[in-house]
Amino acid sequence: MTKRVLMAAGSVAAAMALALGTATSAHANAWGHTKVGGGFVYRAGSFEFVSHGEILRIYDHKADGAGIVAMIEPDGGSARYYRNSQGAGTYKDFNLSYAEDTHLWITVCVSDNGKTIASTCDIYGAVA
């Protein structure tokens, strides 16, 4: 076989493996970060959601005197708030519990003295 045919076959095999791998997984991990706003820098904080085990990790990246808040709202459910106010360079884990295949909306924001800075918020989707 020529090099071009082998490369094409490899690309097709990789695409099929990716499609099959994603088609069988109903879970969706998510990660995201805060936006610039209200005097706070881009990516002052972030979150990571791991669907297997439903773990939320909130990171505070900047020494700005503020914390990070994440709000999780499941489709058809009530919002819950989770905070990391431990300071720059830290993260805080939360062990959550949602029914399988629950669609979640996760909003991450800077929280300054308990006040959510709306201009820093960004929203992301996940599946438990």
CSV table of all heavy atoms in Angstrom, one decimal, residues 19-41:
chain,number,residue,atom,x,y,z
A,19,ALA,N,-15.9,8.4,17.2
A,19,ALA,CA,-17.4,8.4,17.1
A,19,ALA,C,-18.0,7.3,17.9
A,19,ALA,O,-18.9,7.6,18.6
A,19,ALA,CB,-17.8,8.2,15.6
A,20,LEU,N,-17.4,6.1,17.9
A,20,LEU,CA,-18.0,5.1,18.7
A,20,LEU,C,-17.7,5.3,20.2
A,20,LEU,O,-18.6,5.1,21.0
A,20,LEU,CB,-17.3,3.7,18.3
A,20,LEU,CG,-17.7,3.2,17.0
A,20,LEU,CD1,-16.9,1.9,16.6
A,20,LEU,CD2,-19.2,2.9,16.9
A,21,GLY,N,-16.6,5.9,20.5
A,21,GLY,CA,-16.3,6.2,21.9
A,21,GLY,C,-17.2,7.2,22.5
A,21,GLY,O,-17.7,7.1,23.6
A,22,THR,N,-17.5,8.3,21.7
A,22,THR,CA,-18.4,9.3,22.2
A,22,THR,C,-19.9,8.9,22.1
A,22,THR,O,-20.7,9.4,22.9
A,22,THR,CB,-18.2,10.6,21.4
A,22,THR,OG1,-18.4,10.4,20.0
A,22,THR,CG2,-16.8,11.2,21.6
A,23,ALA,N,-20.2,8.0,21.2
A,23,ALA,CA,-21.6,7.6,21.1
A,23,ALA,C,-22.1,6.7,22.3
A,23,ALA,O,-23.2,6.7,22.6
A,23,ALA,CB,-21.8,6.9,19.8
A,24,THR,N,-21.1,6.0,22.9
A,24,THR,CA,-21.5,5.1,24.0
A,24,THR,C,-21.5,5.8,25.3
A,24,THR,O,-22.0,5.3,26.3
A,24,THR,CB,-20.6,3.9,24.0
A,24,THR,OG1,-19.2,4.4,24.2
A,24,THR,CG2,-20.6,3.1,22.7
A,25,SER,N,-21.0,7.0,25.4
A,25,SER,CA,-20.9,7.7,26.7
A,25,SER,C,-22.0,8.8,26.8
A,25,SER,O,-22.1,9.7,26.0
A,25,SER,CB,-19.6,8.4,26.8
A,25,SER,OG,-19.5,9.2,28.0
A,26,ALA,N,-22.9,8.6,27.8
A,26,ALA,CA,-23.9,9.6,28.0
A,26,ALA,C,-23.5,10.7,29.0
A,26,ALA,O,-24.1,11.7,29.1
A,26,ALA,CB,-25.1,8.9,28.7
A,27,HIS,N,-22.3,10.5,29.6
A,27,HIS,CA,-21.8,11.5,30.5
A,27,HIS,C,-21.0,12.6,29.8
A,27,HIS,O,-20.5,12.3,28.7
A,27,HIS,CB,-20.9,10.8,31.6
A,27,HIS,CG,-21.6,9.8,32.4
A,27,HIS,ND1,-22.4,10.1,33.4
A,27,HIS,CD2,-21.6,8.4,32.3
A,27,HIS,CE1,-22.9,9.0,34.0
A,27,HIS,NE2,-22.4,8.0,33.3
A,28,ALA,N,-21.0,13.7,30.4
A,28,ALA,CA,-20.2,14.8,29.8
A,28,ALA,C,-19.5,15.6,30.9
A,28,ALA,O,-20.2,16.3,31.7
A,28,ALA,CB,-21.1,15.7,29.0
A,29,ASN,N,-18.2,15.5,30.9
A,29,ASN,CA,-17.4,16.4,31.8
A,29,ASN,C,-17.5,17.8,31.3
A,29,ASN,O,-17.8,18.0,30.2
A,29,ASN,CB,-16.0,15.9,31.9
A,29,ASN,CG,-15.9,14.5,32.5
A,29,ASN,OD1,-16.8,14.0,33.2
A,29,ASN,ND2,-14.8,13.8,32.2
A,30,ALA,N,-17.2,18.7,32.2
A,30,ALA,CA,-17.1,20.1,31.8
A,30,ALA,C,-16.1,20.9,32.6
A,30,ALA,O,-15.7,20.5,33.7
A,30,ALA,CB,-18.5,20.8,32.1
A,31,TRP,N,-15.6,21.9,32.0
A,31,TRP,CA,-14.7,22.8,32.7
A,31,TRP,C,-14.9,24.2,32.1
A,31,TRP,O,-15.3,24.3,30.9
A,31,TRP,CB,-13.2,22.4,32.6
A,31,TRP,CG,-12.8,22.1,31.2
A,31,TRP,CD1,-12.2,23.0,30.3
A,31,TRP,CD2,-12.9,20.9,30.5
A,31,TRP,NE1,-12.0,22.4,29.1
A,31,TRP,CE2,-12.4,21.1,29.2
A,31,TRP,CE3,-13.4,19.6,30.8
A,31,TRP,CZ2,-12.4,20.1,28.2
A,31,TRP,CZ3,-13.4,18.6,29.9
A,31,TRP,CH2,-12.9,18.9,28.6
A,32,GLY,N,-14.6,25.2,32.9
A,32,GLY,CA,-14.8,26.6,32.4
A,32,GLY,C,-14.2,27.5,33.4
A,32,GLY,O,-13.7,27.2,34.4
A,33,HIS,N,-14.3,28.8,33.0
A,33,HIS,CA,-13.6,29.9,33.8
A,33,HIS,C,-14.4,31.1,33.8
A,33,HIS,O,-15.3,31.3,33.0
A,33,HIS,CB,-12.2,30.1,33.2
A,33,HIS,CG,-12.2,30.3,31.7
A,33,HIS,ND1,-12.6,31.5,31.2
A,33,HIS,CD2,-12.0,29.5,30.7
A,33,HIS,CE1,-12.6,31.4,29.8
A,33,HIS,NE2,-12.2,30.2,29.5
A,34,THR,N,-13.9,32.0,34.7
A,34,THR,CA,-14.6,33.3,34.8
A,34,THR,C,-14.1,34.2,33.7
A,34,THR,O,-13.1,34.0,33.0
A,34,THR,CB,-14.2,34.0,36.1
A,34,THR,OG1,-12.8,34.1,36.2
A,34,THR,CG2,-14.8,33.2,37.3
A,35,LYS,N,-14.9,35.3,33.4
A,35,LYS,CA,-14.6,36.3,32.4
A,35,LYS,C,-14.0,37.5,33.0
A,35,LYS,O,-14.1,37.7,34.3
A,35,LYS,CB,-15.9,36.7,31.6
A,35,LYS,CG,-16.6,35.5,30.9
A,35,LYS,CD,-17.7,36.0,30.0
A,35,LYS,CE,-18.8,36.7,30.7
A,35,LYS,NZ,-20.0,36.9,29.8
A,36,VAL,N,-13.4,38.4,32.2
A,36,VAL,CA,-12.9,39.6,32.7
A,36,VAL,C,-14.1,40.5,33.0
A,36,VAL,O,-15.1,40.5,32.3
A,36,VAL,CB,-12.0,40.3,31.7
A,36,VAL,CG1,-12.6,40.7,30.4
A,36,VAL,CG2,-11.3,41.5,32.3
A,37,GLY,N,-14.1,41.3,34.1
A,37,GLY,CA,-15.2,42.2,34.4
A,37,GLY,C,-15.1,42.7,35.9
A,37,GLY,O,-14.5,42.0,36.7
A,38,GLY,N,-15.7,43.8,36.1
A,38,GLY,CA,-15.7,44.3,37.5
A,38,GLY,C,-14.4,44.6,38.1
A,38,GLY,O,-14.3,44.5,39.4
A,39,GLY,N,-13.4,44.8,37.3
A,39,GLY,CA,-12.0,45.0,37.9
A,39,GLY,C,-11.2,43.7,38.1
A,39,GLY,O,-10.1,43.7,38.6
A,40,PHE,N,-11.8,42.5,37.7
A,40,PHE,CA,-11.2,41.2,37.9
A,40,PHE,C,-10.7,40.7,36.5
A,40,PHE,O,-11.3,41.0,35.5
A,40,PHE,CB,-12.2,40.2,38.5
A,40,PHE,CG,-12.5,40.6,39.9
A,40,PHE,CD1,-13.7,41.4,40.1
A,40,PHE,CD2,-11.7,40.3,41.0
A,40,PHE,CE1,-14.0,41.7,41.4
A,40,PHE,CE2,-12.0,40.7,42.2
A,40,PHE,CZ,-13.2,41.4,42.5
A,41,VAL,N,-9.6,40.0,36.5
A,41,VAL,CA,-9.0,39.5,35.3
A,41,VAL,C,-9.7,38.3,34.7
A,41,VAL,O,-10.4,37.6,35.5
A,41,VAL,CB,-7.5,39.2,35.5
A,41,VAL,CG1,-6.7,40.5,36.0
A,41,VAL,CG2,-7.3,38.1,36.5
